[in-house]
Amino acid sequence: MSTLLHISDCHLFGDTTRQGYGAINPHLSLKQILIDAFKLCENISAVIVTGDISGDDSLASYQHFTTLMENHVTTPVYVIAGNHDNNPHFDTLSAYHLVAGKPVELGDWQIHGLDTRFDGARGQVDTQELKAIGNQVTENSHRHHLLAMHHHASPSESWMDKHDLSNAGEFLHWVEEGIALAAIIHGHVHSPLRYTLGTNNPVPVMGCPASCWQWEMASEFALSHEQPGYQLIRLHDDGTLTCDIKRIKTI
């Protein structure tokens, strides 16, 4: 069994003393998540961050991310881009990038990354990236496959749906064609959504809490009172997985 620490939506600022929504300091909350997660689970195999590393597009925000990972993480770190990472400074994390067609192997599992950056806060899947992932899944049919992306793949029934995938139907069609995914994980909505994508080939999908402030899944913009959080995903050798939501205490 392998254990994956899933973090999302860090929204780090260049100023490490700056607070954001809910008077939460994203630098301190991410630091506390890393400390708590590795204290709670000593056998974490890897860390995956599903986008929105930066909250202000600054070079310093990415430098702070790197420093936090170097100081508090003892396993490999992989990142995919979020809509807030649509800037040249995200490339400074190239050593961490998880890109389509080049999955990470954890035991009997492969972890695939899909870049959904598009226009503003909306996302879009790229057909060439889907093809690259599909080829890897087909060539490694003896393994189990987990797909990581930033945007949610199905309506959340909240105000965040105006920031959805512009071609969600195309992504659904790709899933329904029968690609052998054990699950999909994502960020973006700052909430631990749980749903199934597709009917002919149903795939469980698990959204991740943000490592900073949380959104309320309501029709109008609202903050949730939940604390910053993360997910511990246990990848079992038989192709099943379990996912536990964890939250830090008030910082």
Side-chain angles (χ1 to χ4, degrees):
M1 181 185 76
S2 299
T3 301
L4 191 64
L5 170 57
H6 180 198
I7 298 171
S8 198
D9 298 271
C10 309
H11 291 273
L12 297 175
F13 300 128
D15 178 359
T16 58
T17 67
R18 179 181 167 187
Q19 295 180 336
Y21 290 102
I24 291 176
N25 178 315
H27 184 270
L28 293 180
S29 61
L30 177 56
K31 178 181 178 180
Q32 193 60 52
I33 279 174
L34 295 174
I35 293 172
D36 285 7
F38 279 89
K39 185 181 297 183
L40 176 66
C41 184
E42 296 180 351
N43 63 337
I44 292 174
S45 306
V47 176
I48 185 164
V49 187
T50 50
D52 282 4
I53 307 297
S54 178
D56 63 2
D57 289 330
S58 67
L59 173 60
S61 65
Y62 293 99
Q63 293 172 332
H64 297 324
F65 176 83
T66 299
T67 299
L68 285 170
M69 295 302 123
E70 290 176 345
N71 289 346
H72 300 284
V73 175
T74 57
T75 60
V77 176
Y78 305 99
V79 303
I80 58 173
N83 51 282
H84 281 278
D85 300 311
N86 206 359
N87 61 68
H89 301 311
F90 178 71
D91 290 338
T92 63
L93 302 183
S94 59
Y96 297 130
H97 287 182
L98 177 60
V99 299
K102 297 181 180 180
V104 171
E105 294 188 359
L106 291 179
D108 293 328
W109 288 75
Q110 281 192 337
I111 316 299
H112 304 265
L114 177 63
D115 187 343
T116 57
R117 285 178 291 181
F118 177 47
D119 181 28
R122 294 196 78 194
Q124 186 177 87
V125 296
D126 180 87
T127 54
Q128 292 304 309
E129 289 205 359
L130 294 182
K131 183 177 180 180
I133 293 169
N135 288 340
Q136 283 293 321
V137 172
T138 300
E139 293 171 8
N140 294 274
S141 58
H142 59 292
R143 296 185 181 276
H144 316 300
H145 300 275
L146 178 70
L147 175 63
M149 55 197 290
H150 178 67
H151 287 80
H152 54 308
S154 186
S156 64
E157 306 301 331
S158 80
W159 63 275
M160 277 297 291
D161 288 338
K162 65 183 179 182
H163 305 310
D164 61 356
L165 286 175
S166 65
N167 58 347
E170 187 172 342
F171 182 66
L172 175 60
H173 177 71
W174 179 73
V175 171
E176 288 283 55
E177 284 184 324
I179 187 167
L181 295 176
I184 298 170
I185 59 174
H186 67 78
H188 192 49
V189 292
H190 294 220
S191 179
L193 290 181
R194 295 291 185 269
Y195 55 96
T196 301
L197 188 65
T199 53
N200 298 326
N201 179 46
V203 177
V205 186
M206 297 164 289
C208 186
S211 70
C212 54
W213 41 89
Q214 312 299 296
W215 299 143
E216 188 72 52
M217 294 292 94
S219 59
E220 300 294 332
F221 173 82
L223 286 174
S224 167
H225 296 300
E226 295 277 10
Q227 292 299 310
Y230 60 97
Q231 299 189 137
L232 284 175
I233 304 173
R234 292 178 173 84
L235 307 172
H236 302 286
D237 296 340
D238 63 357
T240 61
L241 57 81
T242 53
C243 183
D244 297 323
I245 301 165
K246 304 292 183 182
R247 296 188 185 274
I248 61 173
K249 297 180 180 179
T250 304
I251 55 174

